[in-house]
Amino acid sequence: MWAKNFICGALRVSTVVGCLALPIPLAIAQQESAKSSSPPASGVVVLGEDDFEKVPEAVRGQFLGGTPSVNPSQSSGSGEVHHFDPRRNAAADLRQAISTANRDGKHVLVEVGGNWCPYCKLLDRFFEAQPEVARLRQKSYVFVKVNFSGENQNAEALSKYPQVRGYPHFFVLDGDGALVRSQRVATLGTNTGYSPERFTAFLKASAPKR
């Protein structure tokens, strides 16, 4: 059945019932299935299948086109990357972000996804609609989007981290580039959409200790 190569929210499904069926390139599905997952370092939080909560009802069936506005001050000369761009070298972007985080006493918040992903676009709009959460992110993190699509899967950059099972997905790195946390973004939602309270708790728990 063609639905088996679709992403429904942040979870791959074999059938599509009551939620968005979004086609993605078969190469992505094959790469995701074949990609091996190396054991995380001691103390790293990696959420597993049992931690996945259902896709928020408020976002089912929505396809959000277009690209949200970006504050140029947050993406110019800061080491941050606020757009999914298959032309970018994610490994180089991450090196720059880690260097900036080390200098500024921050962590790096990596979002893996792509322009094909409606829930990534919904996440952009969530940050726009929640300025307090966005400010918390800006205060403690260097934010970098890493593209994963048929045009560029950024295999070199992503091979260093645990397997991504759904999109968008967060990795948190410290100022030395070590993995602090691997977070399924879907678990930061409720049945009314992405949760400001859960995002706040996640960002505070994963921030550098000061």
Side-chain angles (χ1 to χ4, degrees):
M1 181 178 178
W2 50 265
K4 67 182 180 181
N5 290 325
F6 280 32
I7 292 291
C8 179
L11 177 67
R12 177 181 294 244
V13 294
S14 57
T15 58
V16 177
V17 180
C19 53
L20 176 66
L22 176 68
I24 60 173
L26 181 59
I28 297 177
Q30 292 171 335
Q31 193 273 351
E32 185 183 343
S33 297
K35 186 176 179 181
S36 62
S37 176
S38 57
S42 175
V44 172
V45 178
V46 180
L47 299 182
E49 293 292 340
D50 293 339
D51 297 305
F52 183 82
E53 297 180 8
K54 68 179 182 179
V55 176
E57 294 176 4
V59 300
R60 292 182 185 177
Q62 297 185 48
F63 184 84
L64 302 176
T67 302
S69 60
V70 174
N71 184 345
S73 66
Q74 292 183 334
S75 56
S76 175
S78 65
E80 298 202 330
V81 178
H82 284 251
H83 293 285
F84 292 115
D85 185 348
R87 297 168 297 180
R88 298 189 68 92
N89 182 333
D93 287 339
L94 289 174
R95 286 193 295 270
Q96 177 60 48
I98 290 166
S99 176
T100 301
N102 185 283
R103 180 195 70 198
D104 296 345
K106 295 183 176 183
H107 281 172
V108 179
L109 180 63
V110 182
E111 180 189 341
V112 184
N115 292 322
W116 51 267
C117 169
Y119 294 89
C120 299
K121 296 176 181 179
L122 185 72
L123 183 56
D124 289 339
R125 285 162 172 77
F126 168 80
F127 280 118
E128 286 189 334
Q130 299 293 334
E132 290 299 324
V133 178
R135 277 192 286 271
L136 182 59
R137 184 188 73 182
Q138 186 176 9
K139 174 184 176 183
S140 298
Y141 299 90
V142 179
F143 181 56
V144 176
K145 287 191 174 186
V146 171
N147 180 80
F148 181 79
S149 67
E151 302 100 316
N152 184 359
Q153 297 179 16
N154 281 302
E156 176 192 352
L158 295 176
S159 65
K160 301 176 182 179
Y161 309 117
Q163 183 178 6
V164 173
R165 299 182 182 277
Y167 303 88
H169 187 94
F170 285 150
F171 292 122
V172 178
L173 314 178
D174 68 16
D176 295 320
L179 180 65
V180 173
R181 190 178 185 104
S182 178
Q183 176 75 47
R184 307 186 92 185
V185 178
T187 64
L188 301 178
T190 69
N191 62 356
T192 59
Y194 289 132
S195 165
E197 294 78 17
R198 292 190 182 189
F199 265 86
T200 297
F202 159 69
L203 291 172
K204 287 184 175 180
S206 304
K209 307 306 177 189
R210 307 189 184 202

